[in-house]
Amino acid sequence: MRFFIATLLLAPASAFSPSITNTPRSFTTLEASKCGNYDYDVIIVGCGVGGHGAALHSRAQDLSTAVFSGRDVGGTCVNRGCVPSKALLAASGRVREMQNEAHLSEFGITVEGGAQSVKFDREGVANHAKQLANRVKGNLEGSLVALGVDIVEGRGVLTGKAHEVKDDVSGKVYTAKDIILAPGSIPFVPPGVTVDEKTVYTSDGALELQSIPEWVAIIGSGYIGLEFSDVYTALGSEVTFIEALPNIMPTFDREIAKMAERLLIRDRPIDYRTGVFASEVTPGIPGVKPVTIKMIDAKTKEHVETLEVDAAMVATGRVPNTKGMGLEESGIETQRGFIAVNEKMQVLTKHEGGEVVPGLWCIGDANGKMMLAHAASAQGISAIENISGREHVVNHDAIPAACFTHPEIAMVGPTEEQAIERAAKEGWTLGKSQGNFRANSKALAELEGNGIAKVLYNKDNGKVVAVHIIGLHAADLIQECANAVAAGTTVQELSMMVHTHPTLCEVLDEAFKGAVGMSAH
């Protein structure tokens, strides 16, 4: 799941709520348009970071641009995802640090009154997240207005006619030479799960931090679930993961997942069930009636256990927010809500053997290529490049991702398991080298020696294929690796690049040098 950011990770928008007004511009749109007969050169349906990134790049190309925001500038990530969740992680992380007496004593620090004297205000923590979201949202909206982007606050719907988008509140139809769909995604709630956003909630409700449950079950152990387990345990909750697949953290590189289990689960008040579905989840009443979770075996579908907990968080992934967009009327078939696109982000009529729909593009979660906010932004920029006549294709293998637990997890490229399969299929030899945080001076100074950086590379040409990191500030360290993958840099070249001493990036230096038989000091 994806409430995590690398450098600036923001998620695609949910662009479909009511609207009534436009932000005025100082010039006439038709006069500014290069297309003459259209209201705009580009209309973007959705204003998360994908839509926002596309709008900024569109204006940089001097294209007249409008964005249908659905009254949701910033989208999921800014308002209900990446950004506020990082605020909760930052605040709860401070609490965890200050309550860790053994850790502090190694620094020579004592908290008067001990760990029990460290207090926090739940509402204050929640307000920190809300204020951050509002600030970032304001910045995003301000940047659009400053560049002359028209913001239509309503829901954008395709009319079934080429080049048209309708505001479904006012009924007004707008036209553009090119339309970019960026509707984002919404939380997926499995059948049998009843959500009240109070005792049983999705990530949307969890970010409100309405309470600190004594015992919370988290259904799903991906990025979102893992990050919230970090928040809840730091603030005093016990956590039980319920995972349908055989392994906890199933989408992570297995070596990294095993280390994450040791660092993020075993030493904390967390247990888990794997290979089971939460077949029925019934909300409770805080302090009166518990939440009831019936579990069945993922294979046999037989009942195996019933849990009664104080709260349940549903973190089972996300689905495209494409319902009611007028796709069917436009002759576009979807699969589970996902819109088919080619590598240039042009919309196809269907996933298998579909034809390009002229002037229609789709970016972000709705196309399912990579459900990360910064991926959506990259796709938006790429779409504008192609609209402008400069052919461009996004290299999704070079897009990094991060999970902001304590310590962090970050990665770029395939897992080791996937890389082994790819090497066998394509006929090249996979190499592997590792750097360790326990040998890093800066990590030891921080008393944070747990973690590794694993570099996977093509032995035949030396190019970096993937990097997986778990450790202090992994989310920041991964960018150097993503750049290396994007540029096709070899481990030979990287091994000769100088890394600042003493810094955490020397963990990577150790791995790069190890790949070519060198030793790092």
Side-chain angles (χ1 to χ4, degrees):
M1 305 294 294
R2 65 175 188 135
F3 284 178
F4 54 94
I5 55 181
T7 306
L8 175 62
L9 189 158
L10 301 173
S14 166
F16 306 107
S17 12
S19 111
I20 17 181
T21 61
N22 286 358
T23 302
R25 251 193 334 214
S26 59
F27 56 86
T28 303
T29 302
L30 286 172
E31 291 177 351
S33 175
K34 295 179 179 180
C35 305
N37 296 326
Y38 300 106
D39 297 329
Y40 296 93
D41 295 310
V42 177
I43 284 177
I44 301 163
V45 180
C47 197
V49 180
H52 179 262
L56 296 186
H57 198 52
S58 180
R59 290 300 299 132
Q61 312 314 306
D62 198 29
L63 300 174
S64 59
T65 307
V67 172
F68 282 73
S69 73
R71 295 189 184 277
D72 195 29
V73 173
T76 297
C77 180
V78 171
N79 298 298
R80 301 171 299 282
C82 323
V83 172
S85 65
K86 299 300 105 48
L88 295 184
L89 283 158
S92 60
R94 298 296 190 281
V95 174
R96 187 187 299 280
E97 275 186 39
M98 294 177 69
Q99 289 183 340
N100 191 339
E101 293 180 273
H103 187 72
L104 289 176
S105 68
E106 292 187 61
F107 285 114
I109 299 172
T110 302
V111 176
E112 188 174 346
Q116 299 304 314
S117 67
V118 178
K119 307 295 182 184
F120 65 89
D121 173 40
R122 179 191 58 78
E123 290 186 8
V125 173
N127 286 338
H128 170 52
K130 291 176 184 176
Q131 289 165 7
L132 176 62
N134 289 335
R135 181 177 180 181
V136 175
K137 177 181 179 179
N139 290 343
L140 261 64
E141 187 165 11
S143 67
L144 293 174
V145 173
L147 289 174
V149 175
D150 280 0
I151 302 176
V152 181
E153 293 186 354
R155 175 188 182 189
V157 179
L158 299 178
T159 66
K161 295 181 180 179
H163 308 288
E164 288 187 356
V165 179
K166 183 178 73 174
D167 177 346
D168 77 341
V169 173
S170 69
K172 183 175 180 179
V173 174
Y174 299 79
T175 62
K177 180 176 181 292
D178 289 281
I179 297 167
I180 299 176
L181 305 178
S185 63
I186 57 177
F188 169 65
V189 179
V193 177
T194 302
V195 171
D196 64 357
E197 294 296 359
K198 294 179 180 178
T199 59
V200 179
Y201 41 76
T202 64
S203 53
D204 290 358
L207 285 164
E208 297 290 329
L209 205 68
Q210 297 180 44
S211 65
I212 308 295
E214 186 174 334
W215 183 13
V216 58
I218 299 180
I219 305 170
S221 62
Y223 299 101
I224 298 174
L226 206 56
E227 286 189 352
F228 272 96
S229 76
D230 202 284
V231 171
Y232 282 127
T233 55
L235 299 182
S237 300
E238 294 182 6
V239 171
T240 296
F241 279 115
I242 298 173
E243 173 58 56
L245 294 174
N247 296 312
I248 196 83
M249 295 173 278
T251 61
F252 291 82
D253 177 277
R254 292 320 305 158
E255 183 178 9
I256 297 296
K258 288 177 182 178
M259 183 168 284
E261 182 178 351
R262 177 170 63 84
L263 298 177
L264 301 175
I265 294 179
R266 288 184 196 168
D267 292 341
R268 297 178 180 180
I270 300 176
D271 65 356
Y272 58 84
R273 315 285 194 274
T274 56
V276 294
F277 287 120
S279 61
E280 185 178 332
V281 180
T282 305
I285 300 173
V288 178
K289 184 176 73 172
V291 172
T292 303
I293 304 174
K294 294 181 180 179
M295 291 180 284
I296 60 173
D297 186 275
K299 293 180 180 179
T300 67
K301 304 300 185 289
E302 294 180 358
H303 178 265
V304 292
E305 187 180 1
T306 297
L307 287 181
E308 292 187 344
V309 295
D310 298 298
M313 178 182 174
V314 184
T316 48
R318 301 181 66 82
V319 293
N321 187 25
T322 53
K323 187 176 181 180
M325 284 187 68
L327 295 170
E328 296 81 4
E329 292 81 355
S330 300
I332 299 166
E333 296 179 12
T334 63
Q335 285 187 2
R336 303 186 313 280
F338 289 104
I339 299 171
V341 298
N342 62 17
E343 60 182 7
K344 294 180 181 179
M345 303 299 137
Q346 293 172 295
V347 171
L348 306 176
T349 53
K350 55 185 178 181
H351 282 77
E352 296 295 330
E355 298 178 356
V356 170
V357 181
L360 191 60
W361 314 72
C362 179
I363 64 172
D365 286 13
N367 68 34
K369 283 186 173 290
M370 197 173 200
M371 297 180 79
L372 297 171
H374 48 291
S377 183
Q379 291 172 5
I381 292 169
S382 182
I384 294 297
E385 284 292 292
N386 288 309
I387 286 170
S388 301
R390 296 183 295 272
E391 188 169 324
H392 186 271
V393 173
V394 175
N395 178 5
H396 290 90
D397 274 347
I399 296 178
C403 183
F404 289 80
T405 46
H406 296 85
E408 295 172 345
I409 305 170
M411 68 291 296
V412 63
T415 64
E416 184 174 351
E417 295 73 28
Q418 293 167 338
I420 290 171
E421 291 181 8
R422 185 181 296 187
K425 182 179 179 180
E426 297 175 1
W428 48 271
T429 305
L430 180 66
K432 173 180 172 180
S433 184
Q434 183 172 300
N436 295 281
F437 280 76
R438 66 172 179 267
N440 180 268
S441 299
K442 184 65 164 58
L444 295 176
E446 300 275 357
L447 298 177
E448 296 286 353
N450 289 315
I452 63 170
K454 177 170 67 173
V455 175
L456 304 175
Y457 61 96
N458 183 329
K459 279 190 174 182
D460 300 342
N461 59 23
K463 290 184 178 180
V464 176
V465 174
V467 179
H468 297 267
I469 308 172
I470 179 169
L472 186 64
H473 296 304
D476 300 309
L477 295 175
I478 199 64
Q479 191 60 52
E480 174 184 1
C481 309
N483 293 346
V485 173
T489 312
T490 67
V491 287
Q492 289 81 5
E493 292 168 326
L494 290 163
S495 69
M496 297 305 292
M497 294 180 182
V498 180
H499 291 70
T500 311
H501 177 76
T503 61
L504 295 172
C505 67
E506 289 178 292
V507 174
L508 294 170
D509 187 44
E510 179 189 356
F512 296 145
K513 283 181 165 57
V516 297
M518 296 171 62
S519 298
H521 63 78

